């Protein structure tokens, strides 16, 4: 990933949460551990009653409370974001260390690419984790089903 160090665009990671204390540490740690460093993290919580907010404060000071659901939270986060690009993971995703670098490299190398699908791997133990893993394996690589998670700022607002 050869990204011009002088012109590294800002990536806003828009995290929506609701009682995410079980997964938020691993999620936010995976964002902080990105090889690509020009990142801002914006957490928009929907009235959590657990320790989600307290934990999130260890990773960012950009924490808001807004609802009523994920789409509204994402849009609210985007309105408060400064980035040239938005990454919108779920709060239980653990990102590979080079995912942001790869996304930025891809969109800056080919200006026709304005959004990128980031495939998810289901982690966990138990029946429901296995069900989710099976479900994801059925549509992995199908661009008509999987959703983009990395966006050019302008394209996000055109959608």
């Amino acid at each position: 990933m050869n990204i011009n160090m002088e012109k590294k665009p800002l990536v806003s990671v828009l995290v929506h949460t609701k009682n995410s204390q079980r997964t938020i540490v691993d999620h936010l740690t995976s964002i902080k551990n990105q090889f690509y460093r020009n990142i801002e993290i914006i957490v928009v919580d929907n009235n959590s009653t657990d320790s989600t907010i307290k934990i999130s404060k260890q990773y960012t000071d950009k924490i808001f409370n807004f609802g009523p659901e994920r789409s509204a939270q994402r849009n609210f986060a985007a309105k408060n974001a400064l980035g040239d690009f938005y990454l919108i993971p779920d709060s239980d995703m653990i990102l590979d260390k080079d995912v942001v670098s790869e996304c930025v490299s891809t969109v800056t190398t080919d200006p026709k690419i304005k959004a990128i699908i980031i495939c998810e791997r289901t982690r966990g133990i138990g029946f429901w984790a296995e069900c989710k893993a099976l479900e994801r394996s059925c549509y992995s690589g199908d661009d008509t089903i999987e959703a983009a998670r990395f966006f050019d700022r302008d394209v996000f607002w055109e959608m």
Side-chain angles (χ1 to χ4, degrees):
M1 306 306 124
N2 291 333
I3 298 169
N4 184 338
M5 297 306 277
E6 294 176 22
K7 296 183 179 180
K8 290 182 80 163
L10 178 63
V11 175
S12 298
V13 183
L14 314 179
V15 179
H16 58 278
T17 60
K18 171 94 179 183
N19 294 327
S20 300
Q21 76 179 12
R22 187 177 60 79
T23 60
I24 199 70
V25 170
D26 290 340
H27 175 65
L28 292 174
T29 299
S30 77
I31 296 168
K32 283 289 193 182
N33 288 338
Q34 290 296 301
F35 294 136
Y36 190 88
R37 305 306 297 165
N38 198 18
I39 292 174
E40 72 170 343
I41 300 172
I42 300 172
V43 174
V44 179
D45 186 70
N46 185 5
N47 300 303
S48 288
T49 57
D50 63 6
S51 299
T52 300
I53 297 296
K54 181 180 177 184
I55 295 166
S56 298
K57 287 180 180 179
Q58 298 171 32
Y59 295 86
T60 183
D61 59 353
K62 296 181 179 182
I63 300 172
F64 303 92
N65 187 31
F66 194 81
E69 42 76 36
R70 289 186 297 181
S71 295
Q73 288 175 276
R74 289 174 181 164
N75 290 340
F76 182 86
K79 288 177 185 171
N80 287 280
L82 302 175
D84 303 292
F85 300 101
Y86 299 155
L87 172 60
I88 309 173
D90 290 335
S91 64
D92 63 348
M93 289 177 72
I94 299 173
L95 304 174
D96 291 338
K97 291 182 180 192
D98 60 353
V99 72
V100 176
S101 292
E102 288 179 2
C103 288
V104 171
S105 179
T106 299
V107 298
T108 56
T109 301
D110 186 346
K112 292 182 274 182
I113 297 175
K114 301 294 184 182
I116 298 175
I117 294 169
I118 299 171
C119 296
E120 292 183 61
R121 291 185 311 266
T122 298
R123 294 175 171 88
I125 299 170
F127 176 75
W128 291 114
E130 290 178 26
C131 290
K132 191 66 173 173
L134 175 61
E135 176 192 15
R136 284 212 171 104
S137 72
C138 292
Y139 58 77
S140 181
D142 185 342
D143 294 352
T144 63
I145 296 174
E146 292 190 283
R149 296 211 178 254
F150 188 89
F151 298 90
D152 173 278
R153 177 187 188 99
D154 294 333
V155 167
F156 176 87
W157 289 113
E158 289 174 9
M159 297 170 45

